[in-house]
Amino acid sequence: MQADLLLVAALLRRGRSLDHCSSALSLVAVLFGLFPWLGAPPSLPLALLCAALLSAGLVEKYWALRVALDAELFQRLAEAGDQLDSQTHALDQALQNLGLQNAQQAGRAWDLRCRGALSLLRKQALYLLLQIVIVTLGFFIVFA
């Protein structure tokens, strides 16, 4: 099980690269959004594209935070060795105390937890993909 947890933690750490790309695209949105302040004529389509790009970037940031948290937790639990069961119980208790997990989710098998964590990474990647699509559409709208 420790090998599985280490692998999932390693995969989840790739979310950091996705987040860096998303941050760069969000910065592009901010820069283009500031163009009218620099003397460029205002453009409603450009403003809408910037707003959509920033919105998708904010949602990606949310998933990136969740993925980063899971990456750290999976890494620490993988290092728990023989104490994985007691550490899992302690994690579930802490998550419930903070209101981050329902009592029904406590005691889930690790394969379900791994699939759930990887689904968060997929959601993060989808929002980055959405940002890429928005930038591509914006390129064609602005320069067409």
Side-chain angles (χ1 to χ4, degrees):
M1 180 50 63
Q2 273 74 19
D4 292 345
L5 296 178
L6 284 172
L7 177 60
V8 171
L11 288 169
L12 293 175
R13 282 193 299 273
R14 300 311 88 180
R16 185 178 309 145
S17 298
L18 299 176
D19 189 42
H20 290 316
C21 291
S22 175
S23 294
L25 292 174
S26 294
L27 182 60
V28 166
V30 169
L31 292 175
F32 275 99
L34 292 175
F35 273 3
W37 288 18
L38 301 174
S43 168
L44 181 61
L46 183 60
L48 292 174
L49 285 170
C50 290
L53 188 56
L54 280 174
S55 297
L58 288 173
V59 176
E60 185 281 336
K61 284 283 182 221
Y62 169 77
W63 293 118
L65 289 170
R66 297 272 314 265
V67 167
L69 175 64
D70 278 2
E72 192 170 323
L73 290 173
F74 274 71
Q75 182 68 40
R76 290 184 187 271
L77 289 166
E79 295 167 355
D82 294 338
Q83 298 177 350
L84 180 61
D85 289 338
S86 65
Q87 292 293 321
T88 301
H89 179 70
L91 172 65
D92 285 341
Q93 193 62 47
L95 290 171
Q96 288 173 30
N97 290 343
L98 294 172
L100 299 174
Q101 176 178 290
N102 298 337
Q104 295 84 9
Q105 291 179 317
R108 288 180 295 156
W110 274 104
D111 63 325
L112 291 175
R113 293 173 192 252
C114 290
R115 278 189 256 147
L118 292 173
S119 75
L120 297 179
L121 182 62
R122 281 190 289 279
K123 288 177 184 178
Q124 181 187 359
L126 284 173
Y127 277 94
L128 173 59
L129 180 62
L130 177 60
Q131 283 185 291
I132 292 169
V133 168
I134 292 168
V135 166
T136 304
L137 287 174
F139 180 80
F140 287 117
I141 289 172
V142 171
F143 296 110

